[in-house]
Amino acid sequence: AQTVTQSQPEMSVQEAETVTLSCTYDTSESDYYLFWYKQPPSRQMILVIRQEAYKQQNATENRFSVNFQKAAKSFSLKISDSQLGDAAMYFCAYKAGTASKLTFGTGTRLQVTL
Amino acid sequence: DVKVTQSSRYLVKRTGEKVFLECVQDMDHENMFWYRQDPGLGLRLIYFSYDVKMKEKGDIPEGYSVSREKKERFSLILESASTNQTSMYLCASSLIWAFSETQYFGPGTRLLVL
């Protein structure tokens, strides 16, 4: 069975600084997708960024980028120029290519300080 | 934009009551999902449905059932609520065969069982 591990329950970053959230996963599949979702306090969960396993190039979305290390089964999220609005729970998730189900990590709570 | 709505944001029920949680999506998605979210455990899949009247068990289906009579609506049923079902419940939907089948989430229902 696939597993997703987020080893940092909480992280803190100062405004305008850069922070990296860690995620590792375990799978025997060769075709899969990885996602980072953001859940702001009392607000809806939204997709931040996604990565296809077959792509070597790391995905980027504005201030958000990933470091995808396929051999190491690592998928970290880097947030540059952190803003107060980035404060949220961040979940890493895995989906096998042929499946519809997501497997989630336990989440990392990110605090952004002035 | 995809819109996923859930019938209640907060719900308080008594032990033994039958509880219905409703989810509606407006983007003609085939897949719909019910998760529960607990601190330190992340999101865990309860049930999902890939078509009307079709359902599959997720990782923690015990104590729950689901109903999907119309494509846009997916209901989660707690036949006899228990205190250990106090949790946040999240509904999601996705489009089969769409690139990566990204899931879109509702705002969540926080259920308290007394």
Side-chain angles (χ1 to χ4, degrees):
Chain A
Q2 293 85 8
T3 58
V4 178
T5 302
Q6 293 180 251
S7 59
Q8 306 154 317
E10 293 187 359
M11 292 281 286
S12 184
V13 63
Q14 281 194 317
E15 204 176 14
E17 297 296 307
T18 295
V19 64
T20 299
L21 308 185
S22 300
C23 173
T24 59
Y25 59 95
D26 186 26
T27 184
S28 57
E29 304 279 343
S30 58
D31 177 27
Y32 54 88
Y33 298 87
L34 297 163
F35 305 82
W36 278 99
Y37 278 90
K38 170 185 177 181
Q39 187 181 41
S42 301
R43 290 178 59 191
Q44 211 142 337
M45 181 120 69
I46 57 172
L47 177 70
V48 175
I49 198 165
R50 63 188 169 196
Q51 174 79 43
E52 307 92 303
Y54 63 84
K55 279 194 176 178
Q56 291 188 333
Q57 187 173 5
N58 289 325
T60 62
E61 288 286 343
N62 301 313
R63 298 183 295 109
F64 298 87
S65 62
V66 298
N67 184 5
F68 175 48
Q69 301 288 327
K70 192 171 183 178
K73 294 180 182 173
S74 170
F75 182 61
S76 60
L77 174 69
K78 186 171 86 170
I79 306 174
S80 304
D81 186 25
S82 297
Q83 300 174 359
L84 294 177
D86 294 333
M89 279 289 287
Y90 287 83
F91 291 96
C92 178
Y94 163 95
K95 188 185 88 66
T98 55
S100 295
K101 295 164 43 173
L102 284 177
T103 300
F104 284 87
T106 52
T108 297
R109 183 174 300 282
L110 179 67
Q111 184 180 22
V112 181
T113 58
L114 293 170
Chain B
D1 280 351
V2 176
K3 193 163 185 183
V4 181
T5 57
Q6 295 183 229
S7 50
S8 305
R9 290 300 301 270
Y10 301 95
L11 213 50
V12 180
K13 295 292 181 181
R14 297 252 176 228
T15 302
E17 278 193 78
K18 191 169 186 176
V19 181
F20 292 87
L21 303 183
E22 302 281 333
C23 175
V24 177
Q25 51 92 6
D26 67 355
M27 285 302 292
D28 205 34
H29 285 176
E30 293 89 355
N31 289 331
M32 295 189 76
F33 307 83
W34 275 107
Y35 296 90
R36 66 176 280 176
Q37 180 181 0
D38 300 289
L41 296 178
L43 278 74
R44 294 177 292 166
L45 182 64
I46 304 171
Y47 268 98
F48 73 100
S49 168
Y50 51 90
D51 201 353
V52 175
K53 297 191 187 294
M54 306 303 288
K55 62 185 179 185
E56 282 200 25
K57 293 180 180 179
D59 301 317
I60 51 164
E62 297 79 17
Y64 303 93
S65 62
V66 290
S67 173
R68 192 163 181 203
E69 297 295 322
K70 293 185 177 181
K71 190 175 185 179
E72 67 271 18
R73 189 179 298 269
F74 192 36
S75 302
L76 180 69
I77 303 153
L78 288 66
E79 294 290 341
S80 177
S82 64
T83 55
N84 63 12
Q85 292 178 311
T86 290
S87 187
M88 169 73 93
Y89 291 87
L90 295 176
C91 175
S93 71
S94 68
L95 189 64
I96 290 179
W97 307 121
F99 174 70
S100 81
E101 287 188 35
T102 298
Q103 291 189 20
Y104 297 88
F105 285 83
T109 296
R110 192 169 291 280
L111 173 66
L112 173 62
V113 182
L114 300 173

